[in-house]
Amino acid sequence: MRVLRWLIVAVGALLVSQVLATAFNDAATGCTSSCLPAEQQSPSVATGASDTRYTISGSVVDEESGESVVGATVYVPADRIGTATNPYGFYSLTVNADSVTLIVSHVSYVPQVLHVRLDSDRRLDIRLVHGTTTLEEIEVIAESGASIVDETQMSVTRLPVATIRKIPALAGELDVLKTLQLLPGVQTGREATSGLYVRGGGPDQNLILLDGVPVYNPYHLFGFLSVFNGDAVKDITLIKGGFPARYAGRLSSIIDISMKEGNLKKYEGTASIGILSSSLTVEGPIKKDRASFLVAVRRTYFDLLVYPFLKKGQKGGYYFYDASAKANYIVSDKDRVYFSIYTGRDRVYRNRSSELEGVADQKSELGFGWRNMTVTGRWNRILGPRLFVNSLVGVTRYRFGTKSEEVNTPFAAGTETTEYHSRYLNGVTDVIGRVDFDFAALANHFVRFGVGGTHHAFQTGRFSERQSGPTVQTVDTVYTPNSQRKSIEVSAYIEDEIRLDSDLKVNVGVNFSSLFVGSGQFASVQPRVALWWRLKESTSLKLSFARMEQFVHLLTPSSGLSLPLDVWLPATERIRPQQADLVAVGIAHTLDDGALEVSLEAYYKELKQLAEYKEGAITYGGNQPWEDIITQGEGWSKGGELFIQKKTGRVTGWVGYSLTSTDRKFTELNGGETFPFRFDRLHDVSLVMTWKWKERVDISGTWVYGTGQSTWLPAGHYYGFDHDPVGARGAFAGSGPKTIPDYGPRNGSRYLPYHRLDLALTLQREGRRARKTWSFGLYNSYNRKNPFLLRTSRILDDNDEEHGLEFKQISIFQIIPFARYRLEY
């Protein structure tokens, strides 16, 4: 019945949208001579006072491709008011004047100045041209509106893909998630991995959205590379605090990634080849200016390279691939539909066929792998000059599995074949539906509201084995009780950005969420508040509070790599949802007429109902219900962040610094005492620079430094029998007497500090039909031997008798040169 009530609410919201559309039926009209570009009108047109309010609305698109421009700023300098385009390029701005000057800007485009005369609400679609310039060349000066100072929301970073492409990366692979690791407040796990630990949170506490649908495991290559093909990505936004009410479901960050829509005007594509992988992207119009498509594929070739070195009868190796496709259709001036799909897979395998001592043919297959798939359909409609609606349906699926098979076929007639098969599987499938509204209610109010629901189906870990021969037996041994769990999550939200005056704005909202699982229900009310106060023209103060609730957990004893022991689990009657309260305060300042942006933020985060494996838990191969091997506790994170960014000029880049302290406390871990989070690091520094040396030559570099992260190492040892107390250090397990490590306080030790310098050189050449780009670089250019892990081993004398323990640092990523060739046609 509760689910039915939520569905009724969703239908009611759709009916309300139609009522609102009728109420605001001053339908948007096309742009006429009353809204010409500045160069076609007299620049002396001034903002005229008026007793009537008019709404200017429309879309901002790319002049060359026709794709929508996300996050473009539409600003009225005379009144110091503005707005930004939503994820579909739509904007709406209400003014109290019959003529206004608009400045439209985006970091990747040339700013445009428009003078608009008004006698009614107007539809104004704006086209921007790629490139950058400053508004100093424009007679109508004033603030561009794109500055960090003018943004109400704090802790937000938007990175153009063009910027990411120039930053050095492991093996030259463009990786949007690795670039986010260079921002303050975002820490890495293991070296070179793409895992994100934002403001003291775990990797499961990041909501990673691809075209509005969550991706549960966004990694290839055991976490060393993300699944997002940079050639298919249009926009990426990181939110790490001050969360708007429209986002829910995770505690630490929102990473919102939008795929390119496809060029509406002409066919084009890219092809590239590098050390790790090659990729191909094709896009173009299905019907010019009406419908378009994009297809992008990528694959590595490790398995193909090792084939010549394998023995006869053997096959094996590792590979990954991913493929993305998107299509969109402009149904009318008010309606547009999108369809996108992503699929990707990683697989490690070994197949062997041989003769067993002349007795039998023996065939075996071993392997494990994981895969992701997302499917999204969206329809957005402009219901009026002040009202925009987007409807979404989607599916996301993640699976991790292992496989082991062996078949022995005897040569002797009448002898029975012996077979052994084992399987392990965990994963999650979500079916999602959501409706979101943007409503420019009044000149000083911008309201967003919506409803949504998700059906979760979890496979929390199932191990099975089957033998055939004299007998046949099937045994399910891992998490067999209730290994499949289903739940329904529903939510509704409303938020209002209120402009109290030209120097003071507040965003208030609330998110209502409920989870229905089994016979239980968890209800959550999550308030959000953000305050923006302009102290002077170049400085603003920001405050925010957000409560977040998360209905899923990720359990991992593997310390950062994607392995079978990493399991997504739902909140249940026994395992409560995670919760976090985050308070942040910050100040933003611009220098040199906005060319340099500086932000300083401090935050405090309190986390509750975090989940970890109990000490002594058997995480693989046991038969206990998974809820019996989990304990829940709390955590705290506090810190400060400094971010200095230069966006214009021949030299661009940023400096980031984080000061962070993160702790955890569980009654059943570490004797109930507080201990550092596994990826706690006090200091993190990143320097990113790109120098446009010549017109077609870019030199870039990144330098990172981090305090050694915490780790759990033996504080001493004794001689006796070991029972492998945590199920994850099997090297010391066994029945005989031996040197036993005596582990001290949990995470009471530290790795050595981490630092690294990466360099890259990018050369471009314009051909008659294509642009050719060569990228060369060095990862870890001064060959720093950074710790990847520490190995514990016993000290043996000449008689193989044990005399204690020693630790050895393992470093796997030393200096690595790379080269990549890219062709754009």
Side-chain angles (χ1 to χ4, degrees):
M1 291 299 295
R2 295 188 182 96
V3 177
L4 181 59
R5 287 199 295 268
W6 279 101
L7 292 175
I8 292 173
V9 169
V11 174
L14 288 173
L15 293 176
V16 168
S17 71
Q18 299 302 320
V19 174
L20 291 173
T22 303
F24 299 111
N25 200 25
D26 329 80
T29 59
C31 183
T32 67
S33 60
S34 63
C35 48
L36 294 176
E39 63 271 17
Q40 299 181 31
Q41 289 198 18
S42 168
S44 63
V45 174
T47 302
S50 173
D51 294 331
T52 306
R53 297 184 186 275
Y54 300 113
T55 298
I56 307 170
S57 63
S59 299
V60 179
V61 299
D62 186 294
E63 171 71 28
E64 296 181 3
S65 68
E67 290 197 36
S68 57
V69 179
V70 180
T73 300
V74 182
Y75 188 69
V76 181
D79 297 333
R80 297 198 301 187
I81 62 172
T83 188
T85 57
N86 71 6
Y88 305 96
F90 175 79
Y91 75 94
S92 179
L93 187 64
T94 300
V95 297
N96 184 22
D98 54 19
S99 61
V100 295
T101 297
L102 299 177
I103 299 178
V104 186
S105 59
H106 187 278
V107 67
S108 299
Y109 294 85
V110 177
Q112 186 174 152
V113 176
L114 300 171
H115 300 295
V116 186
R117 292 196 301 267
L118 299 167
D119 54 16
S120 65
D121 292 344
R122 291 293 182 185
R123 169 76 176 267
L124 176 57
D125 293 332
I126 303 167
R127 293 175 173 83
L128 296 182
V129 178
H130 269 285
T132 57
T133 185
T134 64
L135 292 179
E136 296 171 2
E137 304 170 0
I138 300 173
E139 188 172 341
V140 183
I141 310 178
E143 312 92 307
S144 70
S147 167
I148 188 175
V149 172
D150 299 302
E151 182 150 13
T152 307
Q153 193 174 341
M154 65 186 306
S155 308
V156 178
T157 304
R158 296 181 177 88
L159 289 176
V161 175
T163 299
I164 299 173
R165 197 178 302 283
K166 297 175 183 178
I167 297 175
L170 178 65
E173 294 286 335
L174 189 156
D175 194 326
V176 296
L177 295 189
K178 275 199 174 65
T179 304
L180 297 181
Q181 294 175 346
L182 300 172
L183 299 173
V186 183
Q187 297 179 329
T188 62
R190 297 293 190 191
E191 181 188 15
T193 61
S194 295
L196 300 177
Y197 299 83
V198 181
R199 290 184 168 178
D204 61 317
Q205 295 173 357
N206 304 311
L207 179 60
I208 301 177
L209 298 171
L210 180 62
D211 276 351
V213 172
V215 178
Y216 278 89
N217 187 349
Y219 308 120
H220 285 311
L221 197 61
F222 305 97
F224 294 113
L225 186 67
S226 75
V227 301
F228 305 111
N229 185 339
D231 291 332
V233 172
K234 178 175 70 173
D235 180 78
I236 178 168
T237 300
L238 169 69
I239 305 173
K240 55 186 178 178
F243 302 101
R246 58 188 180 275
Y247 292 109
R250 297 294 190 274
L251 304 187
S252 292
S253 77
I254 310 297
I255 301 170
D256 200 345
I257 300 172
S258 299
M259 287 175 57
K260 296 169 66 177
E261 298 160 5
N263 197 310
L264 283 163
K265 299 181 179 296
K266 62 181 181 179
Y267 294 98
E268 59 181 13
T270 62
S272 64
I273 182 170
I275 295 175
L276 290 182
S277 68
S278 293
S279 64
L280 176 67
T281 304
V282 180
E283 61 180 300
I286 300 173
K287 184 178 180 180
K288 191 172 182 179
D289 295 325
R290 201 74 174 177
S292 65
F293 75 94
L294 176 138
V295 176
V297 293
R298 179 174 59 165
R299 194 191 193 278
T300 191
Y301 21 71
F302 292 151
D303 55 333
L304 304 179
L305 295 177
V306 302
Y307 275 169
F309 303 97
L310 297 177
K311 296 180 180 179
K312 184 179 180 180
Q314 291 187 356
K315 293 182 180 180
Y318 163 81
Y319 69 86
F320 73 77
Y321 70 81
D322 52 55
S324 306
K326 189 169 184 177
N328 78 101
Y329 177 51
I330 302 175
V331 181
S332 68
D333 290 342
K334 298 180 180 180
D335 298 271
R336 191 166 184 171
V337 294
Y338 302 84
F339 177 79
S340 57
I341 184 171
Y342 165 84
T343 183
R345 184 184 186 188
D346 289 65
R347 186 185 179 211
V348 181
Y349 65 99
R350 189 198 71 181
N351 299 334
R352 184 170 60 185
S353 177
S354 61
E355 184 177 313
L356 183 63
E357 298 179 355
V359 177
D361 275 337
Q362 185 181 63
K363 295 182 179 180
S364 63
E365 180 178 351
L366 296 172
F368 66 91
W370 60 100
R371 60 176 64 197
N372 286 284
M373 182 190 72
T374 67
V375 180
T376 310
R378 290 177 293 176
W379 167 38
N380 58 57
R381 177 175 174 81
I382 299 174
L383 295 172
R386 301 183 184 182
L387 186 62
F388 178 93
V389 60
N390 180 70
S391 303
L392 178 148
V393 293
V395 177
T396 182
R397 184 180 184 185
Y398 164 67
R399 287 290 184 271
F400 196 116
T402 67
K403 176 182 180 181
S404 176
E405 294 184 352
E406 185 174 316
V407 179
N408 294 307
T409 305
F411 293 143
T415 306
E416 188 175 356
T417 298
T418 301
E419 298 185 14
Y420 173 80
H421 304 268
S422 69
R423 298 284 191 278
Y424 174 83
L425 177 67
N426 71 60
V428 57
T429 300
D430 288 351
V431 180
I432 303 162
R434 190 168 66 244
V435 182
D436 300 287
F437 299 86
D438 291 355
F439 179 34
L442 299 170
N444 297 334
H445 292 262
F446 192 90
V447 180
R448 296 181 177 93
F449 59 98
V451 295
T454 301
H455 179 273
H456 301 283
F458 291 89
Q459 175 57 263
T460 59
R462 180 181 180 87
F463 180 82
S464 64
E465 56 182 6
R466 177 171 57 85
Q467 304 176 57
S468 65
T471 61
V472 177
Q473 183 180 18
T474 300
V475 182
D476 295 329
T477 56
V478 175
Y479 309 147
T480 300
N482 302 318
S483 65
Q484 292 185 344
R485 284 294 183 95
K486 296 181 179 180
S487 61
I488 295 177
E489 181 180 343
V490 293
S491 65
Y493 72 89
I494 183 169
E495 64 177 87
D496 185 4
E497 184 164 312
I498 308 168
R499 182 165 59 90
L500 301 175
D501 62 40
S502 60
D503 293 328
L504 185 62
K505 290 186 290 186
V506 61
N507 185 301
V508 294
V510 62
N511 186 289
F512 305 94
S513 298
S514 288
L515 180 75
F516 302 90
V517 54
S519 59
Q521 175 191 0
F522 296 102
S524 171
V525 179
Q526 304 168 42
R528 318 283 172 81
V529 180
L531 176 70
W532 173 90
W533 180 20
R534 188 198 302 271
L535 302 178
K536 57 182 182 179
E537 292 300 322
S538 60
T539 308
S540 63
L541 178 69
K542 304 179 184 184
L543 302 168
S544 69
F545 168 79
R547 169 164 292 179
M548 307 290 283
E549 192 102 1
Q550 180 171 327
F551 295 122
V552 295
H553 302 272
L554 179 66
L555 272 296
T556 171
S558 58
S559 303
L561 297 180
S562 296
L563 296 175
L565 302 183
D566 299 348
V567 184
W568 285 96
L569 306 172
T572 68
E573 297 94 329
R574 295 173 57 188
I575 305 299
R576 299 187 62 81
Q578 303 179 61
Q579 188 181 89
D581 290 334
L582 174 62
V583 179
V585 58
I587 189 167
H589 182 68
T590 59
L591 300 167
D592 194 18
D593 293 329
L596 197 65
E597 296 183 344
V598 181
S599 67
L600 180 65
E601 295 186 12
Y603 73 90
Y604 178 78
K605 181 192 291 186
E606 183 174 314
L607 304 109
K608 301 176 182 178
Q609 303 300 335
L610 303 175
E612 290 282 356
Y613 285 120
K614 294 179 180 178
E615 293 181 355
I618 300 175
T619 60
Y620 185 79
N623 57 7
Q624 289 178 285
W626 59 265
E627 291 161 305
D628 290 348
I629 61 175
I630 292 173
T631 182
Q632 292 195 273
E634 54 191 348
W636 304 267
S637 182
K638 55 188 175 183
E641 299 164 6
L642 173 66
F643 188 53
I644 304 173
Q645 184 175 21
K646 186 175 185 295
K647 294 182 177 180
T648 60
R650 294 181 62 188
V651 177
T652 58
W654 67 79
V655 178
Y657 170 71
S658 304
L659 177 68
T660 308
S661 176
T662 305
D663 294 311
R664 299 285 191 263
K665 185 176 182 179
F666 292 76
T667 303
E668 299 182 74
L669 299 180
N670 200 50
E673 297 295 325
T674 300
F675 58 90
F677 180 47
R678 181 171 52 191
F679 294 104
D680 173 60
R681 289 205 301 267
L682 184 62
H683 302 287
D684 267 287
V685 180
S686 61
L687 285 82
V688 179
M689 185 207 73
T690 299
W691 175 31
K692 196 164 195 62
W693 182 36
K694 295 183 179 180
E695 179 62 26
R696 304 192 185 281
V697 181
D698 292 318
I699 298 174
S700 58
T702 62
W703 183 78
V704 295
Y705 172 88
T707 305
Q709 68 186 37
S710 60
T711 186
W712 196 8
L713 296 176
H717 62 275
Y718 60 91
Y719 194 68
F721 294 88
D722 187 21
H723 63 283
D724 190 19
V726 297
R729 296 187 291 273
F732 298 110
S735 58
K738 60 190 67 175
T739 301
I740 307 300
D742 182 12
Y743 283 83
R746 194 179 185 97
N747 297 339
S749 302
R750 293 273 174 182
Y751 284 98
L752 294 175
Y754 180 96
H755 53 88
R756 187 189 80 241
L757 174 67
D758 303 335
L759 299 171
L761 172 67
T762 303
L763 307 173
Q764 289 187 353
R765 181 182 177 185
E766 292 287 350
R768 295 181 61 184
R769 297 184 178 180
R771 174 187 297 171
K772 303 171 185 178
T773 303
W774 278 101
S775 299
F776 304 94
L778 292 173
Y779 178 89
N780 194 7
S781 60
Y782 55 74
N783 201 29
R784 161 74 175 177
K785 292 181 173 59
N786 287 301
F788 184 77
L789 55 86
L790 292 177
R791 186 175 66 187
T792 306
S793 59
R794 298 183 178 89
I795 301 174
L796 303 177
D797 60 18
D798 294 337
N799 298 319
D800 289 337
E801 294 183 358
E802 300 177 1
H803 293 278
L805 302 172
E806 64 178 356
F807 306 102
K808 183 177 180 181
Q809 174 182 298
I810 306 298
S811 301
I812 63 174
F813 290 103
Q814 299 181 31
I815 185 170
I816 303 175
F818 68 83
R820 191 169 190 88
Y821 177 70
R822 174 181 168 86
L823 184 67
E824 299 176 67
Y825 55 89

